[in-house]
Amino acid sequence: MQDPSPRYVTALEGVGVRRTTTDQVILDDVDWSVRAGEHWALLGANGAGKTTLLRLIGATMHPTTGTVEVLGKRLGRVDVRELRAVLGHVSTSQRVPQDATAHTVVLTGATGTVQPLWKKYDAATRELAHELLAELDCKELADRPFGVCSGGQRARVLIARALMPSPSLLLLDEPFNALDLPSREDLIDALRRLAVDRPELATVTVTHHLEELPPSTTHALLLREGRVQAHGPVREVLTGERMTQCFGRPIEVTHQDGRWLARSGRRA
C-alpha cells in the first residue's frame, strides 16, 4: 500500500475511471506517486488516458474507484478549488485574452482567472510577475500582446503564469505542441533551469516525443489503454523494449548528452 503522507506531492492507489454513459474504461487500477523535486514524463498513444490522469492530479475530476491524494489532501474530502489555487497547470489550449500583455497574462495566475482582477494585484504581485517573466527568459515580452507572441514565447509566458501561486506541482499538457525547433529548444532549456532553480518543484509533462524531454527529466510513466505499462526512473522506463510494448510497434531508443531519441522501424 502506498504511503499517502505529504512527502508525496501526489499519490494514486487503485485508481479507475469509467465513462458513465458508455461504461468505457479510461483508467484501470493505476498506482502512482510523485515526490517533491521529481520530473515525470507521461507518455502513451492517443487515447491511452494521459489527459485523464493529468486531470486527476490537477484536481479537475474525481476517480470512479481508488484514491487520489494531492498535496496531502484526498479528492472527495477537500474543496478542490483550494487545491487548484496552489497547482500550476499549463496547456496550449488555455483561453487567454489575445490582446492582454504578457505581464497581464502572468498576473492572472495570481487569481486563477482568465480576465485580470486589477484590484487584487498589489505592487508585490505585479513585481513577482515581472520576476517570473525574467526567470523564464522573456522579460522583454512584458508589454507585448500575448496574441502576437510566438508559440515558444507563449509557452514560456504560460509557465510563468502557472508559477504565480508558487506551486509544489507543475502540470504541463503537451507544452511543445506546434513549436518549431528553436522554440522547442528554448522551452527545454527553460524547464531545465526551473529544475535547478526550484529544487522542490515537481513536474509532470505529457508529450508524444522523447526529443522534447529536458535533461532534467528524472522519471517516466508509460500508459497503454488506461493501464500503467511501466513507471520509475527514466533510464529504466524509456527503453526500446518497453516503448515497443507500449506503442505496439518496434521502437529504438537512444540517449546521448542527457537527451532522448526514439525511432520506429517497420513492423515485421
Side-chain angles (χ1 to χ4, degrees):
M1 188 173 188
Q2 293 188 23
D3 181 354
S5 64
R7 73 171 179 267
Y8 287 107
V9 177
T10 186
L12 290 74
E13 183 175 347
V15 165
V17 173
R18 288 179 177 268
R19 183 168 289 132
T20 55
T21 54
T22 63
D23 204 36
Q24 178 187 359
V25 176
I26 309 299
L27 292 175
D28 186 16
D29 197 26
V30 173
D31 293 324
W32 180 39
S33 60
V34 177
R35 295 175 184 266
E38 293 181 344
H39 301 284
W40 284 78
L42 180 54
L43 299 112
N46 289 335
K50 302 185 298 298
T51 297
T52 299
L53 192 51
L54 211 63
R55 289 181 64 194
L56 286 170
I57 63 177
T60 60
M61 70 176 296
H62 289 74
T64 307
T65 58
T67 61
V68 178
E69 302 264 354
V70 182
L71 305 181
K73 308 293 185 181
R74 179 173 295 187
L75 297 191
R77 299 181 181 177
V78 64
D79 186 340
V80 293
R81 293 171 297 181
E82 296 177 4
L83 280 179
R84 293 172 194 161
V86 292
L87 294 172
H89 196 170
V90 176
S91 171
T92 54
S93 64
Q94 283 171 310
R95 295 182 179 180
V96 174
Q98 298 297 293
D99 58 347
T101 66
H103 182 258
T104 298
V105 170
V106 176
L107 271 179
T108 63
T111 46
T113 57
V114 175
Q115 297 293 338
L117 302 178
W118 295 110
K119 293 182 179 180
K120 299 284 188 179
Y121 309 136
D122 58 17
T125 303
R126 293 168 186 259
E127 179 57 29
L128 175 59
H130 280 297
E131 291 173 359
L132 289 171
L133 284 170
E135 184 177 357
L136 273 295
D137 199 25
C138 51
K139 63 180 180 180
E140 74 282 359
L141 303 177
D143 297 322
R144 185 177 302 180
F146 185 80
V148 302
C149 293
S150 69
Q153 291 168 340
R154 292 185 189 189
R156 283 181 284 152
V157 169
L158 289 176
I159 291 175
R161 177 183 184 273
L163 292 173
M164 278 297 286
S166 299
S168 300
L169 177 61
L170 179 63
L171 307 176
L172 302 161
D173 190 3
E174 298 189 39
F176 302 94
N177 187 33
L179 297 188
D180 60 22
L181 180 60
S183 296
R184 183 192 76 182
E185 293 303 306
D186 286 344
L187 183 53
I188 287 172
D189 192 50
L191 293 175
R192 180 192 59 78
R193 292 196 309 271
L194 271 184
V196 174
D197 296 339
R198 296 172 178 256
E200 291 300 309
L201 178 67
T203 65
V204 177
T205 301
V206 172
T207 182
H208 287 286
H209 306 289
L210 299 194
E211 296 83 357
E212 296 172 348
L213 297 180
S216 50
T217 304
T218 60
H219 294 74
L221 183 148
L222 300 181
L223 271 179
R224 179 180 173 91
E225 297 178 351
R227 296 188 65 89
V228 175
Q229 294 289 294
H231 70 289
V234 64
R235 283 180 174 267
E236 296 177 11
V237 173
L238 297 187
T239 65
E241 180 181 1
R242 284 183 164 168
M243 289 288 287
T244 295
Q245 292 172 349
C246 182
F247 287 91
R249 64 181 302 151
I251 295 178
E252 178 186 344
V253 176
T254 56
H255 180 256
Q256 184 176 3
D257 298 327
R259 299 291 296 278
W260 300 87
L261 174 67
R263 294 183 298 176
S264 179
R266 296 180 178 179
R267 291 189 178 95

